Amino acid sequence: MGFEKFLFYVFAAITVFAAGMVVTRRNPVHAVLYLVLAFVGSAALWLLIEAEFLGIVLVLVYVGAVMVLFLFVVMMLDIDIAAMRANFIRHLPLGLLIAALMVFNLLLILGPWNFGLDAVAKPEPLPAGYSNTSVLGMDLYTVYVYQFEIAAVILLVAIIAAIRLTLRRRPDTKYLDPGVQVKIKKGADRIRVVSMPAETTPRPATNPSGAAGADEEAAS
């Protein structure tokens, strides 16, 4: 076994382990952190198949920006973990059925009869001046332009949904209306800051002898 194949098995195992931890962790923050690890392992696999652009974009965009956004969204949603655990057993049969269907579909698509040198020809070595970035851009904006636009719309809907979920009205939170602030005019609507000397309030003097006399009278 060569060194390249050894790296493939190592990063593939890390990716599968991280993906399994994403769907099994009960703490959503821990699940997001394991998702970051899964993205890093996937980026390493992209680099091994000479798709450097996809690997770098996966690290920079998803790990560097999207996952940070996921963490902020998870923390701002204030998910009730206790309520999620209470409904776990009730939804377990449906979840197992969906998981079995997904595994069956994966076996149909990723089965050994669909891959290998018998089903897919071995790719030819790429020349020294080959740029997969330019080839990817040409295919993305010509052959797959409609799929690219549909993905952009789906991401836009996801962003709007995340914003809508975080904009919850809470009675104990103060809000400012920028429209009302802009409409303020000079005069009675504005606050005038006046510089004036500070005033000190004299403290009453304490009389120890008087306090002792009052104690004696109370005792008698």
Side-chain angles (χ1 to χ4, degrees), residues 22-164:
V22 169
V23 298
T24 56
R25 293 294 89 187
R26 296 183 177 181
N27 193 325
V29 178
H30 295 170
V32 172
L33 293 178
Y34 278 111
L35 187 57
V36 172
L37 181 60
F39 280 155
V40 173
S42 301
L45 294 177
W46 282 114
L47 293 176
L48 289 177
I49 60 174
E50 299 182 359
E52 295 85 2
F53 177 76
L54 293 178
I56 294 174
V57 168
L58 189 61
V59 173
L60 294 180
V61 177
Y62 282 90
V63 178
V66 176
M67 294 312 305
V68 176
L69 179 62
F70 282 1
L71 283 174
F72 278 107
V73 169
V74 167
M75 290 185 290
M76 286 189 297
L77 286 180
D78 193 15
I79 301 174
D80 191 359
I81 302 177
M84 294 176 59
R85 293 179 179 177
N87 298 326
F88 177 76
I89 301 299
R90 186 176 65 179
H91 299 294
L92 182 60
L94 180 60
L96 292 177
L97 178 61
I98 296 175
L101 291 176
M102 293 179 62
V103 171
F104 178 72
N105 290 329
L106 288 175
L107 290 177
L108 289 179
I109 298 173
L110 303 177
W113 51 85
N114 293 329
F115 294 92
L117 296 179
D118 297 334
V120 181
K122 183 178 180 180
E124 299 180 357
L126 300 176
Y130 178 81
S131 175
N132 57 8
T133 304
S134 60
V135 175
L136 178 63
M138 290 296 297
D139 290 341
L140 189 62
Y141 291 102
T142 55
V143 181
Y144 304 102
V145 61
Y146 294 109
Q147 293 86 337
F148 181 76
E149 295 295 335
I150 292 173
V153 173
I154 293 175
L155 289 177
L156 178 61
V157 173
I159 293 174
I160 296 174
I163 295 174
R164 180 63 184 87

